[in-house]
Amino acid sequence: MYESITADEALKVVKSNDRVYVQAAAAAPQSLVQALARRHEELRNVEVCHLHTEGPAPYANPEYKDSFHVNSFFIGKNVRHTLRAGNGSYTPVFLSELPILFKRNILKLDVALIHVSPPDRHGYCSLGVSVEATLAAIDNAKHVIAQVNPKMPRTHGAGIIHISEIDAFVEVDTPIFGHEATIPTDIENKIGEYVAGLIEDRSTLQMGIGSIPNAVLSKLTSHKDLGLHTEMFSDGVIDLILNNVITCNYKSINRGRAMATFLVGSQRLYDYVDDNPFVEMRGSDYVNNVSVVKQNPKMVAINSAIEIDLTGQVCADSIGSNMYSGVGGQMDFIRAASLSEGGKAIIALPSTTRKGISRIVPSLNPGAGVVTTRAHVHYVVTEYGVADLYGKTIKQRVKALTEIAHPDHREDIARTYFDLING
């Protein structure tokens, strides 16, 4: 059906000054990535662009700065150092709009590196656990190189491509990168209780990966007929689906299906989604599209932040002027939840950092980016309660956010804020 070649042979198609897209998250095609990095001595000025990827990113080695430049659409730990080292940059973009950059040739792609399941008897492969902007990359790249892996789950939805769309095949048999579910702390469990209290039966959920989403999910076991339309999900949803808490029966769009654009979790998650028609994977220009998501009544978006100022401005992508992650899909879902009938836009975070620094601040740190504006936020949740900001004045917001800050910081936060506004 197709002829397999080695990764080194396949990557010979990459030339100096090319732009290469790498499939995201747990689907990052490591054999192809490693082969690309091995060509560092002969290549110059190759731009490697992607969202967060799991696993090593050897092309991001600062010693290879003349060979590769990293363009991050969402900054992961494996490439964060490139911003300071000078061999990497960050492109701010909503995840819903990332495919548009390729479709309109704003970013012209030369090569797409993807990771797929083996083709079925009809010649169709699955993009598995990550679709995001990869479909747009495949459609617009001059060359598509696929890492074909029997361990890649075959997921349903839009991430199905025919072998005729692929120019080179590299067979591997390696595990998909995964993360075991973390155990929430007492603080995260308290936040989870508050957030769960805001979620009504028949709501549709968007949430990410991590301890706070896991804590929220663990508190939803008595809820009924919840839906799932989310950028990504992890292991925490499996038991809720199996116990008929998440049924997706009351969604207005894609009813009866759990919607996502990428997945990261344990092997249990990958086994669960394999050939499971309940889980539908689509590109981020659909999954994160505000006009699509808002059609679900009682849409609940649960996101986090690095810091929030007393007026409700949310910084979620930088620590001061140092870029840390990215815009991602936060605004896509915050806006969609705001426009949904009965929807709720929630920012949930611990009141302090691990070092005891308050995350609710009088004003954002100099250089900090505003991912979600003060006009978009509905609820802010910490372990000390819920601040309902929607329709509230600045004065009311200051009071509400001060009350859910850590008690050790409340007086200082309020005093500093009033000193700032009074000059």
Side-chain angles (χ1 to χ4, degrees):
M1 187 176 288
Y2 65 87
E3 181 180 351
S4 177
I5 60 177
T6 68
D8 290 315
E9 289 175 315
L11 269 294
K12 287 179 181 178
V13 73
V14 179
K15 305 183 301 295
S16 293
N17 302 308
D18 275 356
R19 178 179 286 120
V20 178
Y21 184 76
V22 179
Q23 191 174 347
Q30 279 298 320
S31 292
L32 305 184
V33 164
Q34 297 291 338
L36 176 64
R38 286 195 290 270
R39 293 195 60 205
H40 67 91
E41 291 185 355
E42 54 189 294
L43 292 174
R44 289 294 178 267
N45 194 37
V46 172
E47 180 182 310
V48 184
C49 56
H50 51 70
L51 291 155
H52 163 76
T53 61
E54 295 287 330
Y59 51 83
N61 186 335
E63 295 178 6
Y64 301 162
K65 63 182 178 64
D66 293 332
S67 304
F68 306 110
H69 184 84
V70 181
N71 181 0
S72 297
F73 304 123
F74 192 93
I75 306 162
K77 183 179 180 180
N78 56 358
V79 298
R80 196 168 288 139
H81 63 280
T82 64
L83 300 174
R84 290 196 174 189
N87 64 320
S89 302
Y90 164 62
T91 299
V93 61
F94 296 128
L95 187 52
S96 60
E97 296 183 16
L98 178 55
I100 295 174
L101 298 184
F102 304 143
K103 291 179 179 180
R104 296 181 182 172
N105 277 325
I106 296 168
L107 293 179
K108 295 182 179 180
L109 288 179
D110 296 291
V111 181
L113 305 182
I114 67 174
H115 192 171
V116 301
S117 68
D120 63 15
R121 62 192 179 93
H122 304 291
Y124 287 92
C125 304
S126 169
L127 291 172
V129 297
S130 188
V131 178
E132 23 78 31
T134 301
L135 286 173
I138 291 169
D139 288 343
N140 293 278
K142 297 173 184 175
H143 300 278
V144 178
I145 304 172
Q147 176 175 301
V148 183
N149 187 357
K151 289 188 170 61
M152 175 60 79
R154 188 175 186 84
T155 56
H156 289 237
I160 302 294
I161 62 170
H162 193 263
I163 57 173
S164 60
E165 299 181 69
I166 299 170
D167 299 299
F169 303 84
V170 177
E171 290 184 335
V172 302
D173 190 346
T174 56
I176 307 300
F177 279 93
H179 293 288
E180 295 297 326
T182 55
I183 300 174
T185 64
D186 290 343
I187 288 174
E188 291 160 343
N189 276 320
K190 191 64 179 176
I191 294 171
E193 289 176 6
Y194 282 124
V195 173
L198 295 172
I199 298 172
E200 302 172 65
D201 290 343
R202 300 185 180 181
S203 295
T204 295
L205 307 180
Q206 174 264 327
M207 57 183 60
I209 189 173
S211 297
I212 290 179
N214 286 341
V216 174
L217 292 167
S218 72
K219 310 300 180 186
L220 297 176
T221 54
S222 297
H223 281 63
K224 295 180 176 62
D225 286 314
L226 298 177
L228 198 63
H229 185 127
T230 182
E231 181 175 298
M232 65 85 61
F233 64 78
S234 190
D235 292 61
V237 305
I238 299 176
D239 288 333
L240 293 179
I241 295 172
L242 295 176
N243 290 304
N244 288 318
V245 174
I246 293 177
T247 64
C248 298
N249 287 336
Y250 289 88
K251 295 167 63 180
S252 289
I253 193 161
N254 306 111
R255 183 171 294 176
R257 297 290 184 268
M259 183 70 59
T261 195
F262 65 93
L263 309 169
V264 180
S266 70
Q267 188 59 47
R268 184 190 182 210
L269 176 70
Y270 302 148
D271 290 340
Y272 177 76
V273 302
D274 184 41
D275 200 26
N276 186 342
F278 182 73
V279 178
E280 186 169 331
M281 304 290 290
R282 291 206 184 194
S284 59
D285 49 354
Y286 180 87
V287 174
N288 287 51
N289 189 316
V290 173
S291 65
V292 172
V293 183
K294 74 176 185 178
Q295 295 179 52
N296 292 309
K298 298 183 181 179
M299 185 71 210
V300 178
I302 305 164
N303 290 272
S304 194
I306 292 173
E307 61 178 2
I308 301 176
D309 76 12
L310 287 180
T311 71
Q313 294 189 110
V314 179
C315 173
D317 63 352
S318 67
I319 300 174
S321 58
N322 294 319
M323 296 306 308
Y324 184 79
S325 55
V327 172
Q330 180 171 125
M331 266 302 302
D332 295 328
F333 281 99
I334 289 288
R335 189 61 180 147
S338 300
L339 296 172
S340 160
E341 184 69 33
K344 296 175 181 177
I346 301 170
I347 300 292
L349 73 169
S351 64
T352 62
T353 68
R354 293 177 182 177
K355 295 181 179 180
I357 300 169
S358 181
R359 296 174 73 170
I360 295 178
V361 295
S363 61
L364 298 181
N365 281 317
V370 177
V371 169
T372 297
T373 75
R374 56 172 70 97
H376 286 104
V377 179
H378 282 200
Y379 299 93
V380 177
V381 180
T382 73
E383 70 271 26
Y384 292 102
V386 178
D388 181 358
L389 305 185
Y390 195 55
K392 300 298 194 298
T393 66
I394 294 294
K395 185 175 181 179
Q396 291 169 325
R397 287 161 176 255
V398 170
K399 182 176 185 296
L401 286 167
T402 301
E403 288 175 350
I404 65 166
H406 193 285
D408 291 350
H409 296 285
R410 291 175 188 171
E411 184 178 344
D412 183 59
I413 291 169
R415 183 191 310 113
T416 302
Y417 172 79
F418 287 112
D419 286 347
L420 285 171
I421 64 170
N422 291 321

